Amino acid sequence: MAEVSVPPVGELVSGIPLPAPRVAHHDSLVEADIAGVTSAARWLRPAVDVASGLLALAVVSRVGPTVQPAVLAAVALAWPLLLAGNGFYVRRPLGEPWGTRLGRVLRAGATLGIACWLAGLVVGSAVGPDVMVPVVATLTIAALVSGLVPLPGETTTRIVLAGHPEDVRSAMSELASSRRFVVAAACVSASPVQPLGALPVQVGVAAAADVAARSGSDALLLLPGPELTPATLRRLEWGAHSSGVPLYVGTGLLDVSPTRVSVVQGAGLDVMQVRAAPARGPRRLLKGVVERVLALFALVVLSPVLLLVWALVRAETTGPGLFRQQRVGRGGAEFTMVKFRTMSTTATDDLAELTELNQVEGGVLFKIRSDPRITPLGAILRRYSIDELPQLWNVVRGQMSLVGPRPALPQEVERYDLDPRRRLAVKPGITGLWQVSGRSDLSWAESVRLDLRYVDNWSLALDVAILCRTVRAVMGHRGAY
């Protein structure tokens, strides 16, 4: 029988060399001696919840029904345990949706309520509904309120990146848009052609988990590529879990909401399913009906204000009070959008002389911060977005939505390439992610990306969130010119 050579087991399942005690930073070596998150900091959130719970119970016992001290003590001890059992204190360095966190608190509150009800069947009125309902409700509200306050160690997330140098550079650029994330180090599969700034870099990804642990980082983010094979990813997973470092794997997807994604298995493959946002159906129908009703109601309520603004515009300069302009709606259909006139009547003719002053990158949009065509009253109307209120009529007619992408001009659409045309899949909106994220301060690429993020991840909850943020954006005047 022919002898078969079998490699040692260690070569099959391990292959991870012990990391060097130093991290290579291009041609030099730097020590990775950054302090990590202490164990005391990890107990801070449970301690705060216990303290807020005790305070809430003290208030309830004074203003509500009398609760026996033994019951209060038992509830105060059980409450953080229930929160922990629902994953409320599990470290999630890259965050989680607020709805998910809310669900954890509500499930803990429901569990406590059911436990008190069952205990009431045995103990009696000491834990009856009239006594415990206020207690459970107060604890739940206290946990939700305290969760909104960031604690030391929760405001900054330190991350180690591992992958191809260019993938690492791209991830660094994305993370730099948020002050929350700090890239502590990087493990790259090859020497970077261009330095990654002052970032400590180790060539080789096998020791990425150890680098994350020694640098005191909160998470290890793997960026899959040809060098990060499935076997390598699995070994890094083992190393990260052994080091107690939360592991994240980049998906390669762009601006996809977590609610649209799920991991499934088939024929031995672990794959990710990406669901499309509903283009039609009950939720879309509800959005259309509610927006039209709200727009009609707003027009009726605001009609005296609208008439007053119209009269002021007419009185300031000669010309109509309303400005009508062709815009492109869903599916490329054109419609006439109305708004209060904020510019001189010769604004269209004067545009050619101002083209060279365009301050929006990309050349598709035209915006300048001090546009000489804008009238004094028009500047005020734009500052508070009052000029857009007549667009409520477009919403009533079904041409626009309250929330949606920015309504585009026909000449802009003519210059669209493939990606921006995705904006035309839904109705344009009076407000949107572009409105609450900087409006005219955004570059063309940023505006398109925000609109595509909205189109691809649309939900009723997202619309409500944007409407709430619109109030703050209008009052803050950012990008309003």
Side-chain angles (χ1 to χ4, degrees):
M1 179 182 295
E3 183 176 350
V4 179
S5 176
V6 179
V9 173
E11 294 182 12
L12 290 173
V13 300
S14 177
I16 303 180
L18 291 175
R22 293 182 293 180
V23 179
H25 175 50
H26 309 306
D27 296 328
S28 61
L29 292 173
V30 297
E31 297 291 340
D33 57 356
I34 306 168
V37 179
T38 64
S39 58
R42 296 180 182 178
W43 285 100
L44 186 57
R45 174 60 65 183
V48 168
D49 285 331
V50 170
S52 62
L54 290 173
L55 178 61
L57 291 176
V59 173
V60 170
S61 62
R62 281 185 171 274
V63 301
T66 303
V67 185
Q68 295 183 7
V71 174
L72 286 177
V75 170
L77 290 175
W79 179 239
L81 296 178
L82 290 173
L83 289 174
N86 281 277
F88 189 71
Y89 299 123
V90 176
R91 293 174 61 198
R92 295 177 177 84
L94 267 63
E96 66 178 342
W98 168 245
T100 303
R101 193 168 180 82
L102 173 64
R104 299 182 192 280
V105 177
L106 294 180
R107 283 195 298 272
T111 303
L112 180 59
I114 294 173
C116 291
W117 175 73
L118 293 175
L121 299 179
V122 179
V123 178
S125 59
V127 288
D130 58 328
V131 175
M132 298 310 300
V133 168
V135 171
V136 173
T138 303
L139 284 174
T140 303
I141 295 173
L144 291 175
V145 172
S146 66
L148 296 175
V149 181
L151 300 178
E154 296 180 343
T155 56
T156 302
T157 299
R158 297 174 53 80
I159 300 176
V160 169
L161 302 175
H164 188 274
E166 293 309 311
D167 293 334
V168 169
R169 194 185 310 276
S170 177
M172 290 174 61
S173 177
E174 292 285 344
L175 293 171
S177 63
S178 172
R179 288 180 292 181
R180 172 184 170 183
F181 301 110
V182 175
V183 180
C187 297
V188 294
S189 56
S191 297
V193 178
Q194 296 293 332
L196 298 174
L199 184 69
V201 176
Q202 174 166 299
V203 178
V205 298
D210 185 76
V211 170
R214 288 191 293 110
S215 63
S217 297
D218 301 300
L220 170 61
L221 175 56
L222 305 180
L223 307 170
E227 300 83 1
L228 287 178
T229 64
T232 303
L233 289 174
R234 182 173 63 177
R235 294 165 184 168
L236 287 170
E237 176 192 355
W238 296 340
H241 292 169
S242 298
S243 302
V245 178
L247 177 69
Y248 293 85
V249 180
T251 64
L253 300 173
L254 183 62
D255 296 330
V256 174
S257 171
T259 58
R260 295 174 52 210
V261 177
S262 59
V263 177
V264 298
Q265 290 183 331
L269 292 176
D270 295 323
V271 297
M272 189 174 298
Q273 179 189 10
V274 182
R275 294 176 294 275
R280 57 183 61 87
R283 283 177 286 179
R284 283 288 183 182
L285 179 62
L286 178 62
K287 169 183 169 70
V289 172
V290 171
E291 287 189 331
R292 289 194 183 194
V293 171
L294 289 177
L296 181 59
F297 176 77
L299 281 175
V300 173
V301 173
L302 297 175
S303 56
V305 177
L306 298 177
L307 288 173
L308 176 61
V309 174
W310 176 82
L312 291 175
V313 173
R314 289 291 305 271
E316 183 188 36
T317 58
T318 58
L322 293 176
F323 175 69
R324 293 173 173 83
Q325 190 176 47
Q326 289 298 109
R327 296 293 178 114
V328 181
R330 183 173 58 183
E334 294 190 12
F335 66 96
T336 302
M337 187 187 75
V338 293
K339 59 188 300 186
F340 286 122
R341 182 171 58 84
T342 58
M343 293 184 174
S344 63
T345 54
T346 61
T348 303
D349 299 330
D350 298 338
L351 178 60
E353 302 176 3
L354 302 172
T355 303
E356 296 180 356
L357 302 178
N358 190 9
Q359 296 176 334
V360 179
E361 299 177 9
V364 178
L365 300 178
F366 176 82
K367 289 282 185 179
I368 54 178
R369 187 172 294 273
S370 299
D371 196 324
R373 301 172 299 166
I374 298 177
T375 64
L377 176 61
I380 297 175
L381 298 181
R382 285 178 172 236
R383 183 175 178 82
Y384 294 96
S385 298
I386 299 174
D387 60 314
E388 298 175 358
L389 289 179
Q391 295 173 31
L392 291 169
W393 177 242
N394 293 113
V395 177
V396 173
R397 297 189 62 186
Q399 299 164 331
M400 292 181 62
S401 296
L402 289 180
V403 183
R406 190 189 69 85
L409 293 165
Q411 57 267 32
E412 295 173 357
V413 175
E414 291 176 358
R415 305 177 65 180
Y416 281 1
D417 54 20
L418 181 61
D419 288 354
R421 289 191 176 276
R422 176 65 174 165
R423 306 166 81 201
L424 306 180
V426 299
K427 296 177 184 177
I430 298 178
T431 186
L433 282 177
W434 54 274
Q435 175 92 352
V436 300
S437 303
R439 290 190 278 185
S440 297
D441 286 343
L442 299 174
S443 67
W444 166 243
E446 291 170 334
S447 176
V448 170
R449 183 172 181 178
L450 287 171
D451 281 342
L452 297 187
R453 181 183 300 172
Y454 173 81
V455 173
D456 291 340
N457 300 295
W458 174 82
S459 68
L460 292 173
L462 179 58
D463 276 0
V464 172
I466 291 174
L467 288 173
C468 293
R469 291 175 60 187
T470 298
V471 177
R472 184 175 60 182
V474 170
M475 299 307 296
H477 316 307
R478 181 189 171 193
Y481 54 87

